[in-house]
Amino acid sequence: NRSILLLFSFFLLLKCGDKKRYHNDLTPFQKEINDFFKDASVTPLKKRDLKTFRGLDFFVFDSSYVVNAALNRTPDEKSFKMKTTTDRLPEYIKYGTVTFDLFDKSYSLNIYKNLEDINKQGYRDYLFLPFLDDTNGFESYGGGRYIDLDIPKGSNLVIDFNSAYNPYCVYDEKYSCPIVPRNNYLPLEINAG
């Protein structure tokens, strides 16, 4: 019985060690977003949630979800009011479509530009890529996730789904978050971000 207890203790220590090692293996994006959430001056967390916050849950980084995409600009689009989780209706424009291959299949998503933030520092070249996938409501937030991108110089860009993140309204309902357009649904599991 003692040897079984020692063996169980050894496996328990290994498990704890694995968990600690996982936290040391965070990507730069994951470390940056965790640091942001820990900072009481900017965090989207409620005060009570910040007290117990130890870090966000992430999928393990997978380079399969870093894809080269072709950007097809759509310069004649009209601006529109994007629905949000509140009554706020920010003005966006469809900037173009991105087309990419993932696991031997081709996909396209619409990519947007927020016209209200265009003059804010850091947002001039900012593109917004919201998407839905088959992890929503199970391994990820039910309403979809977002990726931030910069306008590329040419017609190609890299989309890293490992940098997908939840809208802030997941953590506090006071935030007004754009609702992912239904046509930005990917019919597969994006186990990244």
Side-chain angles (χ1 to χ4, degrees):
N1 282 347
R2 185 177 176 147
S3 61
I4 291 173
L5 184 60
L6 284 171
L7 192 60
F8 176 75
S9 298
F10 175 72
F11 284 118
L12 190 60
L13 282 171
L14 278 179
K15 277 289 200 199
C16 292
D18 284 347
K19 189 173 184 181
K20 190 173 183 182
R21 191 170 64 239
Y22 168 77
H23 287 296
N24 289 334
D25 289 342
L26 294 177
T27 67
F29 169 78
Q30 292 167 344
K31 287 177 187 171
E32 182 180 334
I33 201 165
N34 268 345
D35 289 344
F36 175 79
F37 271 74
K38 289 175 188 173
D39 184 342
S41 67
V42 292
T43 186
L45 295 172
K46 294 179 179 179
K47 284 184 182 179
R48 70 171 187 261
D49 295 329
L50 182 58
K51 289 178 185 174
T52 58
F53 180 73
R54 297 290 172 261
L56 296 171
D57 291 327
F58 297 102
F59 289 100
V60 175
F61 177 85
D62 185 341
S63 62
S64 303
Y65 292 104
V66 180
V67 298
N68 290 309
L71 171 62
N72 179 29
R73 289 181 172 86
T74 51
D76 297 327
E77 293 285 334
K78 288 187 167 69
S79 65
F80 67 97
K81 302 288 186 181
M82 188 175 279
K83 291 182 181 177
T84 67
T85 53
T86 65
D87 292 337
R88 185 178 72 94
L89 294 170
E91 191 173 3
Y92 278 81
I93 192 164
K94 179 181 162 188
Y95 188 81
T97 58
V98 289
T99 304
F100 55 91
D101 290 337
L102 189 57
F103 303 116
D104 299 322
K105 287 192 177 177
S106 187
Y107 301 96
S108 287
L109 294 171
N110 293 332
I111 195 164
Y112 303 94
K113 189 155 186 53
N114 183 330
L115 296 180
E116 294 178 8
D117 288 343
I118 202 164
N119 293 320
K120 290 183 184 174
Q121 186 174 355
Y123 284 91
R124 186 169 210 51
D125 295 326
Y126 166 80
L127 293 176
F128 177 59
L129 182 61
F131 70 96
L132 299 160
D133 71 279
D134 289 342
T135 67
N136 299 152
F138 301 100
E139 295 89 2
S140 69
Y141 171 58
R145 293 177 283 163
Y146 305 158
I147 296 176
D148 298 332
L149 294 161
D150 292 324
I151 296 173
K153 290 194 174 20
S155 58
N156 294 308
L157 56 85
V158 174
I159 300 172
D160 183 355
F161 285 97
N162 294 286
S163 65
Y165 64 93
N166 289 330
Y168 290 168
C169 50
V170 171
Y171 310 103
D172 191 336
E173 62 279 356
K174 76 176 184 183
Y175 288 96
S176 178
C177 301
I179 294 172
V180 178
R182 300 296 310 162
N183 56 352
N184 264 23
Y185 165 67
L186 293 170
L188 77 162
E189 291 184 354
I190 301 293
N191 295 303

